[in-house]
Amino acid sequence: MRFSVATLFLLLIIAVVLQNIASATAAASLTIGSNYSLVSSKRISSTVYEYVYRAQLTNSGAAANNVAATLTSTPQGVTIVDGALSFGNVAAGAVVSSSDTFTVRHDRQYPFNANALAWSTTFDPTFAISGYVTTAQGVTVTVYGPQTKSTVTDAGGVFSLEGLLPGQYTVSPMQPGSVFTPVRQTVTLINQDITGLVFVPQVPEETLSDEDIERIAATPSIFIPEDQVILPNGISLRDYLLMRGITITPGNSAIASASTHRSIQLGRAIAQSTLPPTADPQQKKNDVIAAMLAQARLYACGKDNPPCTTWDHDAEKDEQGNDLPNKPAQKGLTYVYGGKDHTVRTLPTDNCTEMTYGLDCSGFIHHVAKSVGIGVIEGGVSKQRPPEAWAIPSAWQLEMKSITVTDGSNIETGDILVWPSHIGIAQRSDNFISSAGAPNRCATNINGSSGPKSYQIKGFSGPNPTSILRLVVKTPPPPAHGGTCGGGFCPLDYPFCSSFSRWWGDGSVYWMCLNSQKNFGVYPSPN
C-alpha cells in the first residue's frame, strides 16, 4: 500500500502528538504540609495535652483517587493516638482538607515542631485515556465506565482524560453538526494508560424536507401483523420464525414464540438474532431476511401498534429529584440526528439539546444488519448504498445486489430501500420500517411521529425509492462438465464422485462434484 507525502506527514504529526500525550501523563505528587487546623484540645496531665487536628494535602501531580495518609513519625515528646486520615478523590493541582482528623499527645516539656510530623500517603492507581480527533477543535469527548468524565479537544484536536480507575470504558466524541468514525471505542484500563485513539468527524447526510416531515407526521403508522408480512418464499414472517426457531435476544432475554401475540421481554442491550445452522444458501437467505425484519420490527415496537415498553425511559433527575430538561422521558426509540447508538442517551448533531435513546436512519439500518452478522458502516446513506459496502460472511454464499426501481411494484419484503438521503427496510411492497426525522426539529424528533416505526412507501419522499438493495444467492459457476463425466449427470450417473454439494442460483439447482482425480465439475441437477 502506498501513501502520499501529505498523508505520511499527517500520520507523522498524529504519532508525535500522541507520543507527547503519553509522555506527559504524570503520577500524583502528594504532600501534607505543616498548616494544621486545631479542632480541639484537652489536658491529660500536668504537662501532657491531647490535640485533635485536621490536615491539608496538596497534589502537585495527576489526579488521585481514594487518597489516605498515615502519620509515621513524630518529634520528641509527641505520641500518636490516631494517625489515619482520608482525603477522598483529589484532582490534579488541588489543595484539600482531610475529611477526618488525627490525634496526638504532646508533653510540653519538649518543644512542638509541626514540620517534624512525617506522613506516608496511598491512593488507588489511576490511568489516562488519550487520543486525537482529526482537525477538530472543541469536540467534547466523554468516557463512560467505572467513572464518567469529559474533556474538550484543544486546538490540535488532542484530548486526554486522566485520573481514571481501572476498568472498561466507552470513549465517545460529540459535537453538534458532526458524527464520528468510529462512533465510539471501547478500551480496558488495567495497568497502563491507553493512548492513540483516533476519531474522524463527518457531516451526517440523512435529512428529510419540512414538507416530507409534515406529511409523515399527518399520516398514521400502518402496523402490519406478523402473519400478514409475507416473505419472498411465500411464508408469513410469524410462521417462518416459529418454524425455524429464530429468536431475538437483547441481553439475556428473548422473544417467546409460543403464541401468536408473542411477549417481548427485553433488556437494554443491542439486539441480536440467533440463526439456525444451515449449509443451504437459499435457506440462509430466508433466515437472514426474516431475522432482519424481526429486528427492525423490534426497534419500531415502541411507536407501532400495539406499542411495547421495551424502549421507554423515564426522565433523568438531578440531586433534588427534579427532571433534567435535557434528558427527558420518552416512549420508544427516538429519531436522533447523527444517532448511531441507541443504548446510551445521545446528543443530536444539530441544534437540539435533548439527549435521548435513538437512531437516525443509517444508524438504524446498521444495527438491523449487525444483529444478524452482516457488517455495514454506520452511515451515512451514500456509504450504505453500494452493494459492496455490505460485508456478508463468505460461507453464506450470499451478496447484496442493486435492483432498478420500476414503479415500485418490484419491491420485495426484506429489500433495503434507498432514497437520496434516507434508507429503510421493506415489510411489503407498500410499507417499510425506518427511523425518520430531520435536523433541528427537536420536539418532533422525540414524539410519536418520528423515530423507528412503519411508514408508507408511496409518497414518503418522492414517488418511490431511487434504488433497491436485495439479498440474493450468489450465482454459481456456469454449468459445465468436468473430469471424465461422460454424457450423464452428476452425481447420480457418476460413481467416481467421491463428494458433492448443492448450489442454488437463478432459479436452477446445480451439483458440485469432486471426482477421483480431485478435479471439480459443476453439473445441472437431474432433479
Side-chain angles (χ1 to χ4, degrees), residues 303-326:
K303 300 291 180 67
D304 280 341
N305 291 314
C308 70
T309 59
T310 302
W311 311 109
D312 293 355
H313 291 272
D314 296 328
E316 293 190 20
K317 301 181 182 297
D318 60 20
E319 294 179 355
Q320 288 72 41
N322 302 313
D323 289 353
L324 293 172
N326 63 331

Side-chain angles (χ1 to χ4, degrees), residues 45 51 84 106 138 199 234 296 305 347 357 371 465 468:
S45 68
Y51 297 98
H106 174 218
F199 296 90
N305 291 314
L347 182 68
Y357 298 85
S371 70
I468 295 173

Side-chain angles (χ1 to χ4, degrees), residues 223-225 261-262 264 297 300-309:
F223 173 74
I224 303 176
H261 303 289
R262 296 179 297 163
I264 301 179
R297 290 170 63 89
C301 73
K303 300 291 180 67
D304 280 341
N305 291 314
C308 70
T309 59

Side-chain angles (χ1 to χ4, degrees), residues 36 41 47 59 68 71 78 93 104 110 129 134 147 175 216 240 249 266 270 325 334 337 357 363 383 391 399 406 426:
Y36 302 107
S41 64
T47 61
N59 182 9
L71 184 57
V78 177
V104 294
Y110 302 93
I129 296 175
T134 59
Q147 297 165 273
Q175 185 181 53
I216 292 168
Y240 191 84
T249 55
L266 304 169
I270 296 175
T334 66
Y337 188 60
Y357 298 85
K383 294 180 175 64
E399 62 184 350
T406 55

Side-chain angles (χ1 to χ4, degrees), residues 180-436:
F180 297 88
T181 302
V183 172
R184 61 199 169 277
Q185 298 187 53
T186 300
V187 298
T188 301
L189 291 172
I190 300 176
N191 53 16
Q192 62 182 6
D193 297 341
I194 298 291
T195 64
L197 301 185
V198 177
F199 296 90
V200 180
Q202 298 177 340
V203 176
E205 305 168 351
E206 292 75 10
T207 186
L208 294 170
S209 68
D210 288 343
E211 180 183 351
D212 289 337
I213 292 297
E214 296 297 337
R215 184 174 58 255
I216 292 168
T219 304
S221 176
I222 307 299
F223 173 74
I224 303 176
E226 266 188 349
D227 59 353
Q228 296 179 26
V229 177
I230 307 302
L231 300 173
N233 61 6
I235 303 175
S236 75
L237 177 61
R238 182 196 65 182
D239 291 345
Y240 191 84
L241 293 174
L242 292 172
M243 178 180 68
R244 292 290 291 159
I246 296 174
T247 59
I248 303 173
T249 55
N252 297 319
S253 304
I255 291 185
S257 55
S259 64
T260 301
H261 303 289
R262 296 179 297 163
S263 62
I264 301 179
Q265 302 170 346
L266 304 169
R268 299 296 185 203
I270 296 175
Q272 296 290 333
S273 289
T274 302
L275 299 180
T278 178
D280 181 340
Q282 185 65 46
Q283 185 78 74
K284 178 63 74 174
K285 170 192 165 183
N286 294 335
D287 290 350
V288 170
I289 290 174
M292 288 178 66
L293 274 172
Q295 295 293 347
R297 290 170 63 89
L298 169 61
Y299 288 133
C301 73
K303 300 291 180 67
D304 280 341
N305 291 314
C308 70
T309 59
T310 302
W311 311 109
D312 293 355
H313 291 272
D314 296 328
E316 293 190 20
K317 301 181 182 297
D318 60 20
E319 294 179 355
Q320 288 72 41
N322 302 313
D323 289 353
L324 293 172
N326 63 331
K327 295 182 179 180
Q330 62 183 81
K331 297 291 185 182
L333 295 176
T334 66
Y335 177 83
V336 176
Y337 188 60
K340 309 299 181 184
D341 185 353
H342 61 288
T343 66
V344 297
R345 286 190 182 270
T346 303
L347 182 68
T349 57
D350 51 20
N351 293 317
C352 298
T353 59
E354 294 85 359
M355 298 176 66
T356 59
Y357 298 85
L359 297 164
D360 64 11
C361 63
S362 59
F364 170 81
I365 287 297
H366 163 79
H367 283 289
V368 167
K370 179 181 178 181
S371 70
V372 298
I374 294 177
V376 62
I377 194 169
E378 292 158 316
V381 172
S382 64
K383 294 180 175 64
Q384 293 181 343
R385 182 183 292 114
E388 58 272 16
W390 293 67
I392 301 171
S394 58
W396 294 1
Q397 290 300 313
L398 303 175
E399 62 184 350
M400 277 294 186
K401 185 177 182 180
S402 183
I403 304 295
T404 301
V405 180
T406 55
D407 58 356
S409 62
N410 64 331
I411 294 174
E412 291 185 1
T413 300
D415 283 348
I416 303 299
L417 309 181
V418 187
W419 285 264
S421 58
H422 200 76
I423 193 166
I425 183 170
Q427 287 197 102
R428 295 191 317 202
S429 61
D430 63 347
N431 184 277
F432 78 115
I433 304 175
S434 183
S435 184

